[in-house]
Amino acid sequence: MESSSIKLAQGFLKDAQKASKGGWFSKPEWDIAAQYLDKAATAFKAARHFEEAADCYVKASDAYVQINAVYLAAKCYENAAMLADTHVKDHDMAITYYSRASDLYRSQGAAADKAAEMMECAAKICEDIDTNRTIRLYDSALSIYENEDRGRFGVETFKRTIRYLLDKGRLSEAVDFQVRLSAVCEHVNNRLEMNKSNLSAIIILLAFGDSVEAGKKLDEFGQDVAFTRSKEAATAERLVQAYSDGDQDEYVRIASDQSVTFLDTAIARLAAKTRIPGARRQEPRVSEKPVAYGGEHNAAGPGAPLANDAVDEDDDDDLL
């Protein structure tokens, strides 16, 4: 079965090569070449020769570009990227192919969401390999959503990016992406998500230790009347105040409020573990009643004679 599939694939490659060359009196038939290359890729996959299959998809993409079939060209690179990632295990190749697919989808004009999706796929592959490159790939995906006015479809990608940044301790960059998400939500009139995003940005800033910037950002968010009337705004203000006062106990109490715990899990966890430098903590109150010798309550304090133990001097005189 494997050998027959390989022979079939090689036959398709020869046919594709003939079609792409043309002749003295004929032009290259790129559409036919692309179809043969597509068939060769399928045959190589059946034979489990995945690297050769990926190479056929790349060549098929080039052929489709020649006839301006850009969407099909992008699809071929997407197929090649999946093979490189899943079977060839060449992550750098997969990232390169996904990036190329994204460029082609975007140039097609009506596939901005697909273009952003390809960049996100590349970023996911890169997460455990190169943090800086991963951030750039996620940023590219989100920029496509923003620039193509498709921000509403990028909300989950924003959240995934922010979770990744928090996990890597990149709080400053996480704030930037959180503020961008707030702007996207405001643009599409998603007030509920915008309020949550604003509060999340404040929480990240406080976790980063920048209460001054948190206060400024709160004032900036306060320009939106809808936000100032929300419970998220009230919670953000209380958090900033508690942090500024150095009141750790109050901060912890506010962080346990539903307006915080109902945020993205990574944000809620960050709020719960935030510690204020040099914060004061309320000492637990211990209620103790002074007890006189003999077990009776003595208002005069320990060691003082009880009232009923006192002897009147006049009474002593009478006894004499």
Side-chain angles (χ1 to χ4, degrees):
M1 175 65 179
E2 181 178 331
S3 60
S4 62
S5 294
I6 292 175
K7 288 180 181 179
L8 185 62
Q10 291 172 341
F12 286 138
L13 281 176
K14 289 180 181 179
D15 292 335
Q17 188 175 17
K18 289 178 183 177
S20 62
K21 282 185 176 180
W24 288 101
F25 304 103
S26 61
K27 295 180 179 180
E29 298 177 294
W30 291 111
D31 54 338
I32 295 175
Q35 293 174 39
Y36 278 129
L37 288 165
D38 232 330
K39 291 178 179 179
T42 302
F44 275 126
K45 280 197 296 182
R48 303 191 67 79
H49 282 226
F50 299 112
E51 192 167 354
E52 290 86 344
D55 186 57
C56 285
Y57 277 129
V58 170
K59 291 177 179 177
S61 178
D62 294 338
Y64 280 125
V65 168
Q66 292 293 329
I67 59 174
N68 204 31
V70 180
Y71 188 89
L72 293 175
K75 188 65 179 176
C76 284
Y77 263 108
E78 182 182 354
N79 291 336
M82 287 189 289
L83 288 175
D85 177 35
T86 308
H87 297 290
V88 182
K89 301 299 182 182
D90 188 330
H91 300 308
D92 193 60
M93 180 189 294
I95 292 168
T96 300
Y97 287 167
Y98 272 127
S99 298
R100 177 58 177 156
S102 177
D103 292 340
L104 288 168
Y105 275 127
R106 194 173 185 187
S107 67
Q108 197 266 339
D113 296 352
K114 195 69 175 176
E117 180 188 331
M118 294 297 97
M119 295 307 296
E120 184 174 1
C121 287
K124 288 177 181 177
I125 294 172
C126 198
E127 282 186 349
D128 296 325
I129 302 172
D130 187 334
T131 300
N132 290 330
R133 190 180 184 186
T134 300
I135 295 170
R136 289 195 298 270
L137 290 168
Y138 273 127
D139 182 52
S140 296
L142 294 169
S143 294
I144 293 172
Y145 283 122
E146 290 171 311
N147 295 334
E148 300 295 332
D149 199 21
R150 305 288 289 176
R152 72 182 70 220
F153 300 101
V155 172
E156 290 305 315
T157 306
F158 265 110
K159 290 182 178 180
R160 182 182 179 89
T161 304
I162 294 165
R163 284 194 295 269
Y164 178 77
L165 290 166
L166 293 178
D167 182 63
K168 296 299 181 181
R170 307 285 283 264
L171 300 187
S172 179
E173 290 156 296
V175 171
D176 293 338
F177 280 94
Q178 194 72 65
V179 171
R180 283 170 63 181
L181 175 56
S182 294
V184 166
C185 293
E186 182 179 13
H187 180 68
V188 300
N189 202 32
N190 186 344
R191 297 293 179 181
L192 178 60
E193 197 64 51
M194 183 197 74
N195 293 340
K196 290 181 178 181
S197 184
N198 288 348
L199 174 56
S200 297
I202 298 300
I203 288 172
I204 299 172
L205 280 167
L206 293 175
F208 189 59
D210 196 343
S211 59
V212 175
E213 184 61 28
K216 291 180 180 178
K217 193 60 66 177
L218 183 59
D219 291 339
E220 180 182 322
F221 292 151
Q223 301 300 314
D224 189 304
V225 177
F227 175 67
T228 59
R229 295 174 178 173
S230 68
K231 60 182 180 180
E232 287 81 7
T235 300
E237 186 174 353
R238 290 168 60 206
L239 284 171
V240 171
Q241 188 62 53
Y243 196 100
S244 299
D245 293 343
D247 192 338
Q248 183 68 55
D249 293 312
E250 178 65 12
Y251 194 94
V252 171
R253 277 193 292 272
I254 301 167
S256 65
D257 187 84
Q258 284 188 348
S259 57
V260 175
T261 58
F262 283 3
L263 297 175
D264 191 89
T265 304
I267 301 294
R269 189 183 301 119
L270 183 66
K273 69 179 184 180
T274 295
R275 294 294 175 263
I276 305 172
R280 59 180 173 81
R281 298 184 65 89
Q282 184 176 352
E283 296 296 331
R285 296 180 179 177
V286 179
S287 178
E288 294 184 355
K289 294 183 178 181
V291 178
Y293 300 112
E296 293 181 330
H297 177 68
N298 187 2
L306 292 172
N308 58 4
D309 289 340
V311 179
D312 189 277
E313 295 181 359
D314 294 335
D315 292 339
D316 290 341
D317 294 338
D318 292 339
L319 291 173
L320 295 175

